[in-house]
Amino acid sequence: MTWEVVIGLETHTQLSTRSKIFSGASTAFGAAPNTQASAVDLALPGVLPVLNREAVACAIKFGLAVGATIAPRSIFARKNYFYPDLPKGYQISQYELPVVAGGGLKIRVGENEKFIHLTRAHLEEDAGKSLHEGFTDVSGIDLNRAGTPLLEIVTEPDMRSAAEAVAYAKALHTLVVWLGICDGNMQEGSFRCDANVSVRRKGDEKLGTRCEIKNVNSFRFLERAIEYEIRRQIELIEDGGTVVQETRLYDADRDETRSMRSKEDAMDYRYFPDPDLLPLMISEEWIANIRKEMPELPDAKQARFQSEYSLSAYDAATLTASKAVADYYERVLAKFRSEPKLAANWVTGDLSAALNRHELEIGASPVSAAALAGLLKRIADGTLSGKMAKDVFDAMWNGEGDADAIIDQRGLKQMSDSGAIEAIVDQVLAANPKSVEEFRAGKEKAFNALVGQVMKASQGKANPAQVNEVLKRKLAAGT
Ligand code: ADP
Ligand code: MG
């Protein structure tokens, strides 16, 4: 344990605006190449960029959510580099004066909480894409993505392990989707992380030389890429080598990072203020208006779930892992308020398992919140046993109607009439003298066998708690 790992993350989040950041072209994903690139995106001579107000509103929302400072005046700058997918020869970004500065995010790894400080978040445009598949000797260029609005969110070098970096990336992902500023679709590239990784000997003041792993688009790859890079750097230094600052690429197939290019300095980009764009001025009033419309944030919601519904921290965290799940849970409670814990168990348990099995988001659940509430009422009032409830839930999932209709159709009423249960218990005891003997000889298993027999004789309808109670009483009386 002589090494300390230092990680800082830069995340490009694609903002959910309908049109691009400086043009009116659509940002919709998946269109035929170059059908969504306007004259501005193509950088034809004489065109001028016009800032999309909605993209700025997204940045303000984010800044408010992380407790950052929102600059009353920020500047767009040109970041100059040559690449075929960058038609202007520069990317419009922000450099010296970003729109959002400071703030941070709480993360949790196991039992430990930690605050990750943000350096800044700035607005910029995305580049196009080079296409290689289906071409020989040449590459295709698709400029549909050119000019798509991005918010690049940069952390301080605060993380100390791959696990912390992943926890941060997940918390950030939850937040931007929660705020509705990013669709969070990692496969389509709406949320991409660059990980800056360095190592130093424990106790060293100075940070080690970092490598930047570019464009990791899944949490699993992020963790693996960082783990690989940590091992690589430590082995390199222990073998007497030195880490060179560079940009590396993670190859998921080979589970390794590879050098892509030596790291360019800010100098190389010849940043300068874009003369085509006025300074971005954000009024107090605009910020105040957005503040009024901010949703309740994940941490606040989690704390409220714990206090208002007496849930454990674990349940509250699970239910607030996404806004869609939290909203669903509260819609269940709107119809069934008596047992929040039972509702939490079903949302995080059977419902979420079924959604996972069918690879569905909660928004597409075939069992609506109101329908689940209907089922929970019948569990709470003793109509359904836990086992029966699972069957009813499956039937609801398969579109057989609401809980009450299914209970009616199947004649599924839990038997809670103690006289009827006693009669069945008597029958079972008379028919199973061997189990009764074994129980009296001290075999606990024999008791479970008897419970099983009673449940079977009642076709699963007897209330299990009552069966236990009656059996215990009768067996004790018989000795
Ligand atoms: P650039 O924009 O050139 O990539 P920055 O200085 O803005 O460089 O840093 C980018 C990211 O790298 C930030 O998240 C920062 O916290 C992180 N970082 C900077 N130095 C180190 C280091 N020595 N080790 C790990 N991360 C670092
Ligand atoms: Mg960088």
Side-chain angles (χ1 to χ4, degrees), residues 88-118:
K88 292 194 294 295
Y90 61 86
Q91 175 195 28
I92 305 177
S93 181
Q94 296 191 302
Y95 182 56
E96 275 170 347
L97 283 175
V99 60
V100 170
L105 237 72
K106 202 174 73 188
I107 63 163
R108 205 174 285 109
V109 176
E111 293 295 295
N112 300 323
E113 271 188 8
K114 181 166 176 176
F115 191 78
I116 305 300
H117 298 84
L118 298 182

Side-chain angles (χ1 to χ4, degrees), residues 5-10 79 119-120 152-159 194-199 206-212 214 245 263-266 269 271:
V5 173
V6 176
I7 303 164
L9 249 52
E10 297 165 274
K79 180 178 181 178
T119 314
R120 58 189 272 155
E152 176 172 346
I153 301 159
V154 183
T155 75
E156 291 290 294
D158 278 357
M159 287 150 280
D194 302 344
N196 293 270
V197 180
S198 69
V199 299
K206 209 169 149 281
L207 291 179
T209 304
R210 70 184 150 120
C211 289
E212 177 170 356
K214 276 278 178 206
Q245 185 167 333
K263 170 77 189 163
E264 51 293 283
D265 277 324
Y269 290 121
Y271 279 101

Side-chain angles (χ1 to χ4, degrees), residues 32-268:
N34 300 310
T35 55
Q36 289 175 177
S38 74
V40 171
D41 307 320
L42 295 170
L44 297 187
V47 297
L48 285 172
V50 178
L51 179 59
N52 181 341
R53 191 180 168 84
E54 202 44 48
V56 181
C58 290
I60 297 173
K61 268 183 210 162
F62 178 76
L64 289 174
V66 296
T69 308
I70 292 151
R73 178 175 176 276
S74 63
I75 302 286
F76 286 99
R78 292 185 179 179
K79 180 178 181 178
N80 298 279
Y81 64 92
F82 179 78
Y83 205 73
D85 64 15
L86 189 72
K88 292 194 294 295
Y90 61 86
Q91 175 195 28
I92 305 177
S93 181
Q94 296 191 302
Y95 182 56
E96 275 170 347
L97 283 175
V99 60
V100 170
L105 237 72
K106 202 174 73 188
I107 63 163
R108 205 174 285 109
V109 176
E111 293 295 295
N112 300 323
E113 271 188 8
K114 181 166 176 176
F115 191 78
I116 305 300
H117 298 84
L118 298 182
T119 314
R120 58 189 272 155
H122 63 254
L123 285 164
E124 62 184 27
E125 59 179 344
D126 208 344
K129 270 182 202 167
S130 300
L131 307 176
H132 306 292
E133 240 165 82
F135 294 93
T136 36
D137 300 333
V138 294
S139 292
I141 301 288
D142 176 9
L143 293 173
N144 282 351
R145 203 180 63 181
T148 297
L150 303 177
L151 187 66
E152 176 172 346
I153 301 159
V154 183
T155 75
E156 291 290 294
D158 278 357
M159 287 150 280
R160 292 291 173 269
S161 65
E164 284 186 8
V166 171
Y168 162 79
K170 284 186 175 168
L172 182 67
H173 185 266
T174 298
L175 181 65
V176 294
V177 174
W178 190 289
L179 293 171
I181 63 173
C182 173
D183 68 17
N185 191 324
M186 295 177 83
Q187 264 121 46
E188 291 177 6
S190 300
F191 187 94
R192 327 191 277 267
C193 293
D194 302 344
N196 293 270
V197 180
S198 69
V199 299
R200 62 178 167 187
R201 293 200 191 263
K202 282 230 166 105
D204 275 3
E205 293 274 308
K206 209 169 149 281
L207 291 179
T209 304
R210 70 184 150 120
C211 289
E212 177 170 356
I213 313 163
K214 276 278 178 206
N215 275 338
V216 188
N217 68 353
S218 89
F219 297 125
R220 197 160 53 92
F221 290 166
L222 181 64
E223 179 153 33
R224 289 223 220 133
I226 294 173
E227 295 285 10
Y228 175 88
E229 187 56 23
I230 293 169
R231 277 197 310 276
R232 187 188 72 87
Q233 292 185 13
I234 292 175
E235 275 169 26
L236 185 64
I237 300 171
E238 287 184 341
D239 288 349
T242 43
V243 176
V244 270
Q245 185 167 333
E246 64 186 357
T247 301
R248 299 178 70 86
L249 209 64
Y250 178 66
D251 179 338
D253 294 331
R254 297 164 70 171
D255 190 23
E256 63 180 31
T257 65
R258 268 202 306 277
S259 180
M260 198 164 108
R261 56 172 189 254
S262 71
K263 170 77 189 163
E264 51 293 283
D265 277 324
M267 281 275 288
D268 300 330

